[in-house]
Structure formats: structure tokens, C-alpha cells
Amino acid sequence: MYAADTASRALGIVIDGVAPGRATATMTVAPSMLNGHAIGHGGYVFLLADTAFAFACNTYDRVTVAAGADVSFLEPARAGDELTATAVERSRRGRSGLYDVTVTRADGTVLAEFRGRSRTLDTPIL
């Protein structure tokens, strides 16, 4: 899945760990990722969280896609910050799943909380 994820790879996102219902992804905030206030653009923070979410919900050998997601931005990211998104499955029933992703800076500061809703398709991954 990572080999085909050109968006995440182009941004330097690295998948650090994957286990059933869990995944961790990291990314360094580049100067090109800053918005007009010189802080990390929320879209990039969302994308990092969404990547961890995608890997966490695709750990059961069935193609699983996002049905929706919400994010709360709590602190700004800055150029040079190494961000870590940690995704944890909260519920999986039938074809629906619920996942929480916490995005932190290297010092442990929580920058964002993301909640993703997934939908599993009837297609094997492998």
C-alpha cells in the first residue's frame, strides 16, 4: 500500500509501525508546508493523520476507505517540526470502523486530534 501512496511518499511521510488496528506515521514540516501565518498548513497535518488512519484501518486484508473524518487543531506546527501521527482503532463492526489519531510534536506536545470513520469494501488487499 505504501509503494502506491505517491502523495504520502512525496511529502516524506514514513510509516513507522503497523499492527492490527494501529499505525504510526511521521513527517517533518518543510518550509513549503507553511501557510500565510508562517505555521504548518492544517491540510498537511490532516494528511499526516489521514495516512496513519488509512494504514491502521487496512490491517485486516480488506480494502478500507475513509467514510469521513474530523480534526481539531490544538497547537501550530512549525517548519522543522517532526510530527508523529498515532492511529488507534476504537471500534470495528461489520464494514464500519472508528479510529482516533493523535498528532504530536517530537517533544510530546499534542498538535491535533483526528477522528476517522472507515468503510470496508469486499476486496482483498493481498
Side-chain angles (χ1 to χ4, degrees):
M1 195 170 120
Y2 183 73
D5 188 346
T6 56
S8 295
R9 287 186 301 109
L11 293 173
I13 293 174
V14 175
I15 305 304
D16 295 310
V18 177
R22 304 174 87 76
T24 303
T26 60
M27 174 184 80
T28 300
V29 178
S32 62
M33 297 175 179
L34 302 182
N35 65 19
H37 299 295
I39 59 175
H41 192 292
Y44 289 107
V45 176
F46 186 98
L47 190 146
L48 175 65
D50 187 51
T51 298
F53 163 56
F55 279 86
C57 66
N58 276 279
T59 57
Y60 299 103
D61 192 31
R62 287 286 179 257
V63 173
T64 304
V65 297
D70 300 295
V71 66
S72 295
F73 299 110
L74 307 173
E75 293 285 335
R78 308 265 182 218
D81 284 349
E82 183 175 304
L83 307 183
T84 300
T86 304
V88 178
E89 181 181 277
R90 295 297 178 208
S91 175
R92 190 168 65 96
R93 291 193 172 84
R95 294 176 43 205
S96 298
L98 187 64
Y99 294 78
D100 287 333
V101 184
T102 301
V103 179
T104 58
R105 197 180 292 126
D107 67 3
T109 302
V110 176
L111 302 185
E113 293 287 354
F114 171 107
R115 175 157 274 192
R117 297 173 302 283
S118 68
R119 188 71 171 167
T120 299
L121 308 178
D122 195 25
T123 307
I125 293 173
L126 302 175

